Amino acid sequence: MTDPAHRDVLRTEFERVASTFARRTVGRFDDLDVVPFSGIEEGDVVVEVGAGTGNFLALFEDRASSLIAIDLTQGMLREARRVFPHMVPVMADGARLPLASRSVDLVSSAQTFHHVWEPLALLKEMRRVVKPEGRVIVVDQVATERYEEAAMMNRLEIIRDPSHAASRPPSAMRTVIRAAGLEIVDEKIAVSTETMSGWMLPGEFPPERFEAVERFIEEHGSETGMDFRREEDDWSFTRRRMMLLAQR
């Protein structure tokens, strides 16, 4: 990351919620078929930048020889090590990876880029450490291609979580990956239905954020491109996640 102030916000937010975040995000990636999409081979070294509590990186445990979890937040890495003791936790900034150039078979990042104002720096580092024949995989939530909807979606996300930076449309994701000197070899957009009750667990967020988020949804939910629908005492909405596979 390149913004020290935002880095501090991110660390503070995720130190506070590490244990509840780990529980809330269990199974988040299970239906994406990430392992076959990635092209991982038996014995590969896999790194995740922004690994959090390790749920995404753990998908590769049956095939990888080593799983390296890189994150800014000690609390998140502590949870990752507790649940997945075979992982190697490394507290570091994704824009300055403590890894040798051209040393990693598969470099990944999942649900991290929307917390980063300038993801190009991370992608350049991911390109630096991946082997010439290796692969880079990025998974992140995306906005629609309509500027107004993306802007409203990001307003909502920041109310919910001040460590949020920007959810980008698919076209912007492609642009930044190519700007890092990577070639996109495959992509996929997965669409799912989620609920506010699953998105915001009691105890993970202050009560005033629940109130602010619900008020924003009631007033502007239809402008976010997230298809909010009232479901009795809950809200459902559409989540779009983009998977991009790239190489040097």
Side-chain angles (χ1 to χ4, degrees), residues 217-231:
I217 292 171
E218 289 173 347
E219 296 175 359
H220 303 290
S222 61
E223 303 168 52
T224 63
M226 298 171 71
D227 308 319
F228 279 99
R229 285 95 57 194
R230 192 70 175 171
E231 304 281 351

Side-chain angles (χ1 to χ4, degrees), residues 1 6 10 14 111-117 161 163-166:
M1 297 180 68
H6 189 71
L10 194 151
F14 281 101
Q111 287 295 114
T112 294
F113 277 31
H114 66 273
H115 290 288
V116 181
W117 283 111
D161 177 3
S163 72
H164 180 88

Side-chain angles (χ1 to χ4, degrees), residues 136-220:
V136 171
I137 181 170
V138 174
V139 180
D140 202 19
Q141 63 191 46
V142 290
T144 72
E145 292 289 346
R146 294 190 61 185
Y147 173 81
E148 296 84 0
E149 290 181 341
M152 294 301 281
M153 176 183 180
N154 285 316
R155 282 182 59 186
L156 171 60
E157 294 277 5
I158 290 169
I159 291 169
R160 173 185 174 270
D161 177 3
S163 72
H164 180 88
S167 293
R168 300 165 177 91
S171 59
M173 295 290 289
R174 297 184 194 103
T175 296
V176 72
I177 285 177
R178 290 171 180 143
L182 292 163
E183 176 191 359
I184 298 171
V185 296
D186 201 359
E187 68 172 65
K188 172 183 175 182
I189 294 181
V191 180
S192 62
T193 298
E194 300 186 8
T195 61
M196 182 175 167
S197 59
W199 191 35
M200 298 184 72
L201 292 184
E204 185 177 353
F205 299 90
E208 59 270 20
R209 285 201 210 162
F210 283 91
E211 297 169 7
V213 165
E214 183 147 22
R215 184 164 57 250
F216 188 92
I217 292 171
E218 289 173 347
E219 296 175 359
H220 303 290

